[in-house]
Amino acid sequence: MRRDDRAPKPDAPVYEGAERLQKVLAAAGVGSRRACEDLIFRRRVTVNGRVAQLGDKADPARDVIHVDGERLQADVRLVYVAMNKPRGVVTTMADEKGRTELADFIGARLEQRVYHVGRLDADSEGLLLLTNDGTLAHKLMHPSYEVLKTYLAEVAGPIPRNLGKRLTAGVELEDGPVKVDSFKVVGTLGKTAQVELTLHEGRKHIVRRLMAEVGHPVSRLIRTSIGPIKLGDLRTGRLRRLTNAEVAALFKTVGD
């Protein structure tokens, strides 16, 4: 006999900080409370893997909530920010040498204290993620999750036709081999070429060292994406909060 998936299930634990589920969803920006009640009624919401029901409660700081299969970060204390780091800015919140740092751009824009997810060297620019979600930040940086990062680089040209194959096959560096996931030439101007590289490596100065090793040193380097998050038209030195959909995409990238 097939089990009825609508049969009563054991009650989920209710924590001290729990609130009505529709209130938690609405506070997280899913929609109005009535719209969130409709989502729950239509069995489109799960809490800790259990299909939610009207009347359920959830603790946004402890429970794992999914809407239509996408992870929802319901804890409003957690923030997720994209920044377009300018060239010449060091990736730190407190530089002991007095150089221009991230804190100079964040200032009072964020009430919460955030940390950078990975680094960009001072001479590089582009997308940097900032958050106070330590668990997600750790996963995004850990090499086992192989989060893809895309860079736009200005390099010495001309570019030989077989360079892409060489880079995707792998190049030996002093600290081990590295290979790119994709490579393409975007454009050329005189003796300079603009190329796009995607790789999941996170070693220090990896793009600069890689391109120098194959004879095309980098003169400018811009990170344009981290996983599903794109730099887009975010202006240099500006910050923006990630959308719920973007945060959900980050969780999906690391398997949450």
Side-chain angles (χ1 to χ4, degrees):
M1 180 177 177
R2 199 181 95 167
R3 178 181 171 181
D4 185 350
D5 64 1
R6 291 176 295 180
K9 298 180 181 180
D11 289 338
V14 178
Y15 305 113
E16 185 177 343
E19 299 178 291
R20 289 282 185 181
L21 182 55
Q22 61 265 35
K23 182 179 178 181
V24 173
L25 297 177
V30 175
S32 67
R33 288 199 193 183
R34 178 160 295 187
C36 293
E37 287 176 352
D38 186 62
L39 289 172
I40 298 168
F41 176 76
R42 295 178 183 276
R43 302 169 56 80
R44 294 167 60 183
V45 182
T46 64
V47 179
N48 301 325
R50 174 181 177 271
V51 176
Q53 301 175 359
L54 288 173
D56 282 355
K57 291 186 176 183
D59 182 348
R62 301 180 64 171
D63 289 319
V64 177
I65 301 171
H66 286 77
V67 178
D68 290 335
E70 299 289 337
R71 172 76 178 269
L72 174 70
Q73 182 47 266
D75 189 345
V76 295
R77 298 172 301 177
L78 297 178
V79 295
Y80 306 85
V81 175
M83 176 184 181
N84 186 345
K85 186 190 87 68
R87 190 172 188 171
V89 175
V90 293
T91 310
T92 179
M93 294 297 181
D95 183 57
E96 59 186 18
K97 296 181 180 180
R99 295 171 294 182
T100 305
E101 60 193 13
L102 297 179
D104 295 325
F105 291 84
I106 296 172
R109 299 182 196 181
L110 297 174
E111 295 180 2
Q112 300 89 339
R113 184 178 182 182
V114 295
Y115 304 90
H116 47 85
V117 180
R119 292 178 177 273
L120 277 176
D121 64 72
D123 288 333
S124 299
E125 54 198 293
L127 182 61
L128 190 66
L129 298 182
L130 306 164
T131 184
N132 57 355
D133 186 338
T135 301
L136 178 61
H138 172 74
K139 291 180 178 180
L140 290 172
M141 291 186 289
H142 200 282
S144 66
Y145 290 92
E146 298 187 345
V147 178
L148 295 175
K149 304 173 187 68
T150 300
Y151 299 84
L152 190 64
E154 288 184 4
V155 301
I159 303 297
R161 290 186 177 182
N162 69 339
L163 182 59
K165 290 184 178 180
R166 183 180 176 188
L167 293 174
T168 54
V171 175
E172 189 70 34
L173 300 180
E174 68 275 8
D175 56 350
V178 59
K179 60 181 179 179
V180 304
D181 293 86
S182 67
F183 173 86
K184 68 178 180 180
V185 178
V186 177
T188 58
L189 181 62
K191 295 182 178 181
T192 301
Q194 204 172 56
V195 299
E196 183 183 86
L197 309 89
T198 298
L199 64 167
H200 56 264
E201 281 275 6
R203 282 179 276 171
K204 189 174 182 180
H205 304 311
I206 191 66
V207 174
R208 293 182 182 277
R209 291 194 289 130
L210 173 62
M211 295 306 295
E213 181 66 25
V214 296
H216 300 277
V218 173
S219 56
R220 186 182 183 190
L221 185 64
I222 306 170
R223 185 158 64 195
T224 58
S225 72
I226 300 174
I229 310 304
K230 310 296 184 185
L231 179 63
D233 57 1
L234 184 63
R235 294 172 59 185
T236 300
R238 297 295 181 89
L239 291 80
R240 70 170 180 85
R241 295 207 181 217
L242 300 187
T243 65
N244 285 340
E246 287 176 317
V247 175
L250 283 175
F251 278 115
K252 190 172 184 178
T253 297
V254 298
D256 284 352

